[in-house]
Amino acid sequence: QVQLVESGGGLVQAGGSLRLSCAASGTIASINTMGWYRQAPGRQRELVADITSTGTISYADSVKGRFAISRDNGKKTVYLQMNSLKPEDTAVYYCNADLYTTTYSRGNYWGRGTQVSVSS
């Protein structure tokens, strides 16, 4: 069994900052890419940022220069530092991991999400 547990969401004023964390646990052999997605009401889930096991990073254009993704491989944890938040960043943020289990099956896993709300 694999679990991804997010934390760090909340309500913040525009211009503020939040830091999200996502810890993976369970029968994990290795983790490839970890990432953050978000879904606003009435919109499709979209990639915010992801990071490979070797540190290659991708960002959505809308967050470049404001958000920073990082990971601690030893802790199986990925972080998302969000600065200069805007009301349009309001969404449920989901953690995602592409990984191999201890039975060597590859799978894509999701956390349950954490709400980020930015007031104007």
Side-chain angles (χ1 to χ4, degrees):
Q1 253 182 334
V2 173
Q3 278 191 315
L4 302 180
V5 179
E6 302 104 333
S7 61
L11 174 64
V12 64
Q13 287 189 327
S17 298
L18 284 173
R19 188 187 193 218
L20 304 183
S21 300
C22 170
S25 63
T27 54
I28 299 170
S30 63
I31 304 177
N32 302 318
T33 300
M34 299 186 81
W36 290 95
Y37 289 71
R38 66 186 180 187
Q39 188 167 18
R43 302 190 67 175
Q44 288 190 332
R45 191 173 296 188
E46 63 176 0
L47 174 68
V48 176
D50 63 18
I51 180 169
T52 69
S53 58
T54 55
T56 300
I57 290 172
S58 299
Y59 291 106
D61 287 344
S62 59
V63 307
K64 282 180 181 176
R66 300 188 298 122
F67 290 11
I69 190 170
S70 61
R71 65 189 277 178
D72 183 327
N73 291 327
K75 294 182 178 179
K76 298 186 181 67
T77 299
V78 63
Y79 306 95
L80 185 68
Q81 178 67 43
M82 304 185 293
N83 300 324
S84 302
L85 282 160
K86 304 175 181 180
E88 51 264 44
D89 293 318
T90 296
V92 178
Y93 283 69
Y94 296 92
C95 177
N96 177 268
D98 172 50
L99 56 86
Y100 285 94
T101 69
T102 53
T103 57
Y104 301 103
S105 64
R106 184 173 182 175
N108 193 270
Y109 295 83
W110 293 91
R112 299 181 73 172
T114 185
Q115 177 70 46
V116 171
S117 299
V118 184
S119 62
S120 56

